[in-house]
Amino acid sequence: MTRMTDTHTTLALRLLQVTDDFRAGLSGELSAVHGISVNEFLLLLHLERSAANRLSRVDLAKRMHVSASTITRMAAPMEKIGLVDRAADARDARLVFVVATEAGRKRLSEALATFSKRAGYLFSDRWEDQEVDRFASMLRRLMAGSGDTLA
Amino acid sequence: MTRMTDTHTTLALRLLQVTDDFRAGLSGELSAVHGISVNEFLLLLHLERSAANRLSRVDLAKRMHVSASTITRMAAPMEKIGLVDRAADARDARLVFVVATEAGRKRLSEALATFSKRAGYLFSDRWEDQEVDRFASMLRRLMAGSGDTLA
DNA sequence: GCATATTGCTTGCAAACGCAAGCTATTTGC
DNA sequence: GCAAATAGCTTGCGTTTGCAAGCAATATGC
């Protein structure tokens, strides 16, 4: 019992550490090469992978673990530089959808290439393909109750 | 090639998602129950697991992936409430070490129990012990070049 | 040894974020 | 149908953070 508790604790700490490392490196390259932050990248990715290629602000907020006001304030500059647009709902006048523009989808695609490159650096040198597959399915189990996810 | 690239990308996205979920939940309980943030918790943990139970500010900054100014500004309120103290180096007058007080170590120990509990929630219901062990060793490989780590 | 470079730390400023309050639009209870 | 509750969004305010500049102490080059 104590042993597994410690193992779980170690595992969670390593998870935080590895993810923070990856995120820090990604952040630098995304902003330097593509001019967007990690959160802006993830926002575009959420849009791309949503059912109708558009999401309301509260929906985005829940998926991204940020407050609704953060989405409002993230979307504003992204609208200004033409990465996203806003759209109203025909039935519910409260909803304000965030929609990716053509430029936004292009930017996402470029940024995704950077993301994939870094993911490759992280895993391909150190894990066998078989391990990667196994790990991916294990992680999917962890996300079981997580609602709408990116992957 | 393309297949594994996609797999790596998916894996990295899941890693971000799972870790963000965990961190969000942890953040709420740490601040509500123990009155500290995740970063304050990690700062105390870094101190506890360092060689001499003390670390300079730039050293802490590197380990925590934050700027040096953030450490300065995190340490100030923690000193005020008596969780950490500052100590000078005998040989190098530039160094200002951060040291955990007795109260700081106690607080860490309590917060670590919360952390472990949540780590248990995350893993124990969904993974076999054998999988947990295997995953831990895989993650350790990912941290190979990461310098000083927590686990 | 002395000028120069580097290192550790702090501070001013601006960007990003959460919370609470407020506004409008929709839903619910009766 | 109508009052009350709820949901979606935005804005004000305080907190946290990074970057760049600045200051003091140490290391380096000659």
Side-chain angles (χ1 to χ4, degrees), chain A residues 133-146:
Chain A
D133 286 337
R134 181 161 49 214
F135 183 33
S137 79
M138 286 167 72
L139 273 186
R140 202 158 51 76
R141 252 181 292 157
L142 288 193
M143 301 191 304
S146 292

Side-chain angles (χ1 to χ4, degrees), chain A residues 94-111:
Chain A
R94 293 172 303 181
L95 294 175
V96 183
F97 289 107
V98 183
V99 194
T101 63
E102 194 55 46
R105 278 200 294 273
K106 182 161 180 293
R107 187 78 65 97
L108 170 64
S109 145
E110 295 159 357

